[in-house]
Amino acid sequence: MDRLLTPLLVATLLGGCGGLPPDARVSSKTPLTAYQHPQEPADPAPDPAPGATLIRHATIMTAAGALHSPGYLLLKEGRIADVGSGEGPAPDEHTAVVDGTGMFVTPGLIDTHSHMGVYASPGVRAHSDGNEMVNPTTPQVWAEHSFWPQDPNLWRATTGGITTIQVLPGSGNLIGGRSFIAKLRPQVSARLMRFPGAPQGLKIACGENPKHFYGNKGGPKTRMGNIAGFRKAFQSAHAYRRKVQEYERDLNHWRSAQETNKDKAGDPPPPVSRDLGLETLVKVLEGEILVHNHCYRADEMHIMLDLAKEFGFKIRSFHHALEAYKLADRLAQEEVSSSTWADWWGFKMEAFDGIPQNAALLTHAGARAIIHSDSATEIRQLNQEAAKAQAAGRKIGIELDDNQVLRWITANPAWALGVEQHTGTLEKGKLADVVIWNRHPFSVYALANTVFIDGHIVYERSLPPALSDFEIGLGFDEVTP
Amino acid sequence: MSPFLASLVLLGSTWAVENVQIQVGDGSSIPNGTVVVHGGVITVVGTNIKLSPKTHRIDGTGKILTPGFIETQSQLGLTEISAVADTNDHSDNQDSISPAFRAGEGFNPLSVRIPINRLEGVTGALITPKGGIISGTGSYVELSGDLSSRPDTTRPTAMSGSIDARANRAAGGSRGGLWLKLRQLFEDARFYARNKSAIDRGESRPLLHHPTQLRAMLPVLQGQIPLMLNVHRASDILSALEFARQEKIRLIISGATEAWIVAKALAASQTPVILRPSKQQPWGFEALAARDDLASRLHQAGVTLVISAGGWGQNARRIRQEAGIAVARGLPWASALQAITHTPAAILGLQAEVGSIAVGKVANLVLWTGDPLELQSQVSQLWIQGQPQPLDDRQLQLARRYHPSAAP
């Protein structure tokens, strides 16, 4: 209020004393109040589906160890109210009942690595919003601000049972920007799709991509240039945090002084000049933003783990991580997850040692493995990719049960995104993010029949899909082949 | 050297797989049968076969025998690491119209990618160039990993080209510009065919293309080899069909995202279609009408269908997953298997030698632990030209290095 008055007051003083009562004319040395940063908009309000749905006589794969066959799953007000073996509770007349005979039920699938919306279809230059490649270090940008909710690939992902995605900036930059955790219910804005309560992530990238793009543009040009870039950025974050701490100390002094003698306290200390990028990195240091590190080679993963230790933060998940099997023990010990593929390899030097046994070897060593897609087509068959990785492990004698494998695409990615207390398993109290499959989800022939998000049906195979605005009226339904 | 001659060199080796479910590849199957191979060639296929005591017998109880898969859009052996330009030999890189470019000349049978893909049942591939309007010729090769599998590039299998968005850009940015260039090429090629001696004497009108290039077009003009065009948009597919009819050439369409719209025309002209079932999404303006059920719609309309894993060929091994996805989206199982075995051989004119389990054909066979399209099934044994292939590759060796207690 005082800040608004000040220019008005100056104008009044300059323009003559008209309009203001005498006691409103305060000294031109009116002390300011403490500075507050503008606050970002809030998370969307939770919007659970009203009512109840009982799925029964199905095989319930909880991804939390328990398998109920036959079993039941009760959804109520957008959450899992009950789950177990046998017939289940008798439904009341308000409960929708799904006869799941022959069907399989899993938690909604979660993809930690998507560029849907930021590299939307159709893939034209106007939609190329995933890499702010004007500088190798851009922690200030947010993938959420590039996200186009009308990307026709979004609803297609739900046909594969996907309920939550992490949308990442690309890997062109060393530090690409904040990631966006979204639930795949169609909305008009990105913010409305945001997963309520989810922390944001930060995308960083090692290896060939940054040095390839910036080699002739001032660097980094080498892997050592990459690492120097990271260290410089995080050192700046430390310095910024220190400045903020000094400011907060000074602010507290000023507040105590205010309580003692308001008139003598004077102005609060000037705020630190706000740096949106360093602010993001400080949140990483504080553990509020989770780090997702595109990194292929084992030696580089070691360097990044050491670097994280040096600067006092943790890497939540390596991405692609094709050589993670080479340091599985350290990843297990330091609780760093690996988001990888079943069988992509060989497209770059750093991808040459990719093997289909990666996820199995990680799991065998006690590390958290995740199957991700990094593809708008492959996201629709994440269940199949997990199945392939399971079969690959079997080839070298690593037998993993279905529960462990299902966790690669449910509970483990939920943990990597910091939402494991909300979703990722079929347990009482968690969100009703659920998929009903027409057969075992690890079969190449499996199709999702029904997909729930917060208890809402977002995909029902027997019905026409909810097209994005872009696809409305294109006229192909009326084309007579 | 013909890819099939090597098998005839083997002497005296006769072996058989018995008590096995034989999936012939042409849509038919034998629930419990025997296949006998001699000298690398299939000599017997049937039931209740009495085998000579000298025949080496392999028990296929509980297993399934299929022909080896054939990938028709492959750069296996043409690229080692796609991001490393020096290892890429799939394109002229100089000229978007280069019919005389022979992908086979860059083919490396010792590529590390070959065992990796062979391990999942791929025994043959059409090695094609890519990236141009007319990219050049490709050759069918067997994936034995042997230097003898280098193709005879003077007898190519198919000519590759594209009239998709990328080709449009290469032609200056418009479809009209693209067709103009193609008409010029064909006119020049026909002119060359009629006036070869005059041209050699220097007594002809100027040509837009070098005689070497025009000479390479003759097998296409004469209908000896098909022209494989990568194209997606429905109207562009119709343009291609009209062009093929006017020029009287054999046409194969690859990509074909919007082909369901013009399925009748494709069936009526008997133009085969090569597609990748998992990639049917509106990724560009030429693919807006993408449909998941493309394969089954084309099949229902009577279109000759081939399924491909597409891409750079480092993952031709995904071809069986692609076939499985087509089945999930409505294509009959037997048709899906046919689309990765018999039909690819047939559209390339190779059906007499490969693509199905039939007497007289080369023994490119795969013995599976279960349904070959299912993700849990594994290759139990694999033969190319009757020779058993090692079931090991670099990736398994790396896996074992980091998992010492793994089974060998």
Side-chain angles (χ1 to χ4, degrees):
Chain A
M1 188 57 172
D2 291 350
R3 289 166 66 222
L4 283 173
L5 272 175
T6 308
L8 176 61
L9 191 61
V10 168
T12 309
L13 290 169
L14 289 174
C17 301
L20 284 175
D23 55 21
R25 284 180 319 206
V26 294
S27 148
S28 60
K29 288 219 127 263
T30 305
L32 306 168
T33 54
Y35 172 77
Q36 291 276 346
H37 281 323
Q39 293 297 297
E40 65 168 85
D43 267 351
D47 177 29
T53 303
L54 175 68
I55 306 159
R56 61 184 184 184
H57 307 149
T59 300
I60 313 288
M61 303 173 74
T62 63
L67 177 81
H68 305 291
S69 186
Y72 65 92
L73 184 70
L74 178 65
L75 314 178
K76 219 172 188 175
E77 308 293 325
R79 288 193 179 265
I80 294 169
D82 198 4
V83 56
S85 295
E87 184 65 20
D92 62 30
E93 69 267 21
H94 302 298
T95 302
V97 179
V98 177
D99 180 7
T101 306
M103 300 182 198
F104 288 70
V105 183
T106 68
L109 305 189
I110 300 173
D111 191 356
T112 58
H113 197 115
S114 182
H115 301 299
M116 292 196 296
V118 300
Y119 277 119
S121 282
V124 295
R125 193 184 298 178
H127 282 166
S128 179
D129 287 310
N131 271 296
E132 181 65 9
M133 275 165 54
V134 299
N135 188 288
T137 310
T138 55
Q140 72 278 12
V141 300
W142 296 19
E144 181 183 338
H145 297 150
S146 270
F147 183 82
W148 186 45
Q150 303 301 338
D151 184 351
N153 290 322
L154 292 168
W155 72 259
R156 284 174 165 84
T158 65
T159 72
I162 304 290
T163 52
T164 299
I165 58 173
Q166 173 171 236
V167 182
L168 294 163
S171 54
N173 284 356
L174 287 177
I175 300 180
R178 297 197 196 185
S179 72
F180 168 50
I181 317 298
K183 302 204 85 166
L184 290 180
R185 279 185 71 201
Q187 303 285 2
V188 174
S189 77
R191 179 50 59 124
L192 289 172
M193 292 179 71
R194 209 190 204 201
F195 193 125
Q200 286 173 303
L202 180 73
K203 173 69 177 289
I204 67 177
C206 294
E208 293 180 33
N209 287 2
K211 72 186 185 93
H212 174 74
F213 295 124
Y214 290 100
N216 295 322
K217 294 182 192 150
K221 195 176 175 126
T222 59
R223 281 179 162 86
M224 55 187 173
N226 285 353
I227 300 303
F230 284 125
R231 296 180 72 222
K232 180 173 172 190
F234 282 104
Q235 185 58 48
S236 302
H238 272 268
Y240 183 75
R241 179 167 67 171
R242 178 63 165 192
K243 278 215 195 96
V244 172
Q245 285 167 348
E246 288 168 4
Y247 165 73
E248 279 165 357
R249 178 206 58 192
D250 295 345
L251 189 63
N252 286 335
H253 285 164
W254 175 81
R255 283 202 167 108
S256 323
Q258 264 230 320
E259 273 158 33
T260 324
N261 189 338
K262 191 175 175 130
D263 296 328
K264 282 264 181 78
D267 281 337
V272 178
S273 173
R274 188 179 184 191
D275 184 312
L276 298 175
L278 292 177
E279 185 175 286
T280 299
L281 296 181
V282 168
K283 287 194 175 197
V284 165
L285 298 177
E286 300 292 303
E288 289 169 37
I289 286 181
L290 306 179
V291 175
H292 293 270
N293 186 180
H294 156 121
C295 198
Y296 284 85
R297 261 175 31 184
D299 58 300
E300 287 185 83
M301 285 189 263
H302 273 295
I303 291 176
M304 291 307 293
L305 289 170
D306 291 344
L307 191 152
K309 203 165 272 166
E310 180 187 354
F311 289 95
F313 65 91
K314 295 211 73 177
I315 293 169
R316 194 73 167 185
S317 186
F318 282 117
H319 284 244
H320 314 327
L322 290 190
E323 294 193 1
Y325 63 94
K326 300 185 185 182
L327 65 157
D329 290 338
R330 183 173 184 185
L331 294 170
Q333 200 175 18
E334 298 191 19
E335 252 212 310
V336 179
S337 62
S338 302
S339 299
T340 190
W341 291 293
D343 60 15
W344 289 29
W345 74 283
F347 38 92
K348 291 190 280 187
M349 284 303 308
E350 58 191 357
F352 195 55
D353 283 5
I355 61 175
Q357 285 75 24
N358 199 22
L361 285 166
L362 285 165
T363 306
H364 184 71
R368 244 188 210 97
I370 293 163
I371 299 290
H372 71 350
S373 75
D374 195 6
S375 157
T377 47
E378 201 134 309
I379 193 173
R380 305 178 67 194
Q381 61 201 56
L382 219 58
N383 56 315
Q384 297 180 22
E385 301 304 305
K388 284 195 296 187
Q390 180 187 38
R394 188 170 291 136
K395 251 191 191 170
I396 57 164
I398 298 179
E399 278 296 334
L400 298 169
D401 67 30
D402 286 351
N403 183 70
Q404 287 173 298
V405 173
L406 183 60
R407 288 175 71 82
W408 290 344
I409 52 179
T410 53
N412 290 355
W415 180 86
L417 302 183
V419 297
E420 71 276 19
Q421 69 272 44
H422 302 301
T423 192
T425 61
L426 297 180
E427 290 180 290
K428 229 161 141 168
K430 288 205 173 165
L431 296 170
D433 299 336
V434 178
V435 186
I436 306 176
W437 303 87
N438 68 344
R439 51 192 296 163
H440 194 296
F442 297 161
S443 164
V444 73
Y445 309 119
L447 294 171
N449 281 347
T450 313
V451 180
F452 300 83
I453 293 178
D454 299 324
H456 295 275
I457 293 178
V458 297
Y459 174 67
E460 175 60 64
R461 188 156 65 90
S462 58
L463 297 175
L467 300 177
S468 76
D469 288 352
F470 177 74
E471 298 168 280
I472 296 295
L474 292 181
F476 298 122
D477 316 336
E478 296 97 58
V479 171
T480 323
Chain B
M1 170 149 119
S2 155
F4 308 111
L5 276 178
S7 62
L8 303 178
V9 174
L10 295 166
L11 296 167
S13 60
T14 307
W15 53 271
V17 184
E18 50 181 358
N19 311 318
V20 73
Q21 183 192 134
I22 302 170
Q23 289 291 341
V24 174
D26 62 1
S28 70
S29 64
I30 300 170
N32 194 343
T34 301
V35 174
V36 184
V37 174
H38 174 75
V41 176
I42 297 168
T43 54
V44 180
V45 179
T47 51
N48 301 313
I49 306 295
K50 273 191 87 166
L51 295 171
S52 132
K54 284 202 224 121
T55 301
H56 173 59
R57 301 157 83 126
I58 294 151
D59 183 21
T61 304
K63 297 194 172 130
I64 299 179
L65 192 71
T66 70
F69 305 141
I70 297 174
E71 171 55 63
T72 53
Q73 302 283 287
S74 178
Q75 282 78 43
L76 273 178
L78 292 183
T79 178
E80 215 54 22
I81 296 188
S82 25
V84 180
D86 284 350
T87 71
N88 293 338
D89 289 303
H90 61 279
S91 167
D92 192 341
N93 294 321
Q94 313 261 23
D95 208 330
S96 61
I97 294 190
S98 195
F101 177 82
R102 299 171 179 174
E105 281 171 340
F107 176 66
N108 178 19
L110 304 183
S111 164
V112 73
R113 297 185 174 282
I114 288 175
I116 287 171
N117 287 284
R118 186 178 61 216
L119 214 50
E120 297 271 338
V122 189
T123 56
L126 178 70
I127 305 299
T128 70
K130 65 189 265 182
I133 298 168
I134 298 289
S135 323
T137 56
S139 301
Y140 171 81
V141 298
E142 310 254 276
L143 301 181
S144 59
D146 213 69
L147 286 171
S148 63
S149 66
R150 290 171 66 245
D152 175 4
T153 59
T154 65
R155 299 164 63 82
T157 312
M159 180 73 73
S160 284
S162 44
I163 53 170
D164 56 15
R166 187 155 65 150
N168 277 338
R169 283 195 289 275
S174 73
R175 283 167 168 81
L178 179 64
W179 284 111
L180 162 60
K181 286 186 154 54
L182 282 171
R183 283 198 302 276
Q184 282 175 332
L185 172 67
F186 274 69
E187 264 183 48
D188 260 11
R190 291 202 189 285
F191 183 82
Y192 175 82
R194 287 192 309 268
N195 298 290
K196 192 173 174 310
S197 357
I199 290 165
D200 285 343
R201 287 194 309 269
E203 292 168 8
S204 92
R205 68 153 171 85
L207 298 167
L208 203 57
H209 301 280
H210 193 280
T212 311
Q213 300 280 24
L214 299 176
R215 202 156 37 240
M217 285 300 295
L218 298 185
V220 176
L221 296 180
Q222 291 154 10
Q224 284 159 18
I225 63 173
L227 174 62
M228 250 173 27
L229 284 181
N230 200 60
V231 53
H232 294 280
R233 201 169 87 173
S235 60
D236 293 337
I237 295 172
L238 289 179
S239 299
L241 293 178
E242 282 154 17
F243 186 78
R245 195 179 59 240
Q246 280 157 30
E247 297 289 337
K248 296 188 174 60
I249 58 173
R250 284 165 54 197
L251 180 67
I252 298 172
I253 298 287
S254 67
T257 305
E258 297 194 346
W260 64 271
I261 297 176
V262 293
K264 281 208 187 97
L266 286 162
S269 59
Q270 297 184 307
T271 304
V273 168
I274 302 172
L275 65 99
R276 186 172 158 195
S278 71
K279 208 182 151 128
Q280 304 311 317
Q281 292 174 214
W283 41 264
F285 274 90
E286 53 186 342
L288 295 184
R291 294 188 61 104
D292 284 351
D293 59 359
L294 175 65
S296 72
R297 280 191 169 232
L298 292 179
H299 172 76
Q300 274 164 44
V303 176
T304 304
L305 194 65
V306 169
I307 287 171
S308 161
W312 284 86
Q314 63 252 39
N315 274 334
R317 61 184 169 181
R318 292 171 64 126
I319 197 173
R320 65 195 187 96
Q321 182 185 15
E322 291 287 345
I325 287 169
V327 174
R329 294 176 180 181
L331 186 68
W333 189 92
S335 307
L337 182 67
Q338 190 170 346
I340 60 177
T341 54
H342 176 73
T343 312
I347 70 169
L348 300 176
L350 304 167
Q351 67 275 13
E353 288 102 358
V354 281
S356 62
I357 302 177
V359 173
K361 296 201 183 180
V362 173
N364 293 352
L365 301 168
V366 191
L367 187 64
W368 298 91
T369 57
D371 175 354
L373 305 189
E374 256 302 13
L375 305 169
Q376 291 73 25
S377 302
Q378 300 197 10
V379 171
S380 180
Q381 285 188 72
L382 186 148
W383 298 267
I384 291 180
Q385 297 175 13
Q387 287 288 323
Q389 300 295 311
L391 293 179
D392 195 20
D393 66 5
R394 179 173 186 273
Q395 294 184 344
L396 283 170
Q397 289 168 33
L398 276 168
R400 284 194 298 268
R401 167 174 272 211
Y402 285 88
H403 184 58
S405 56

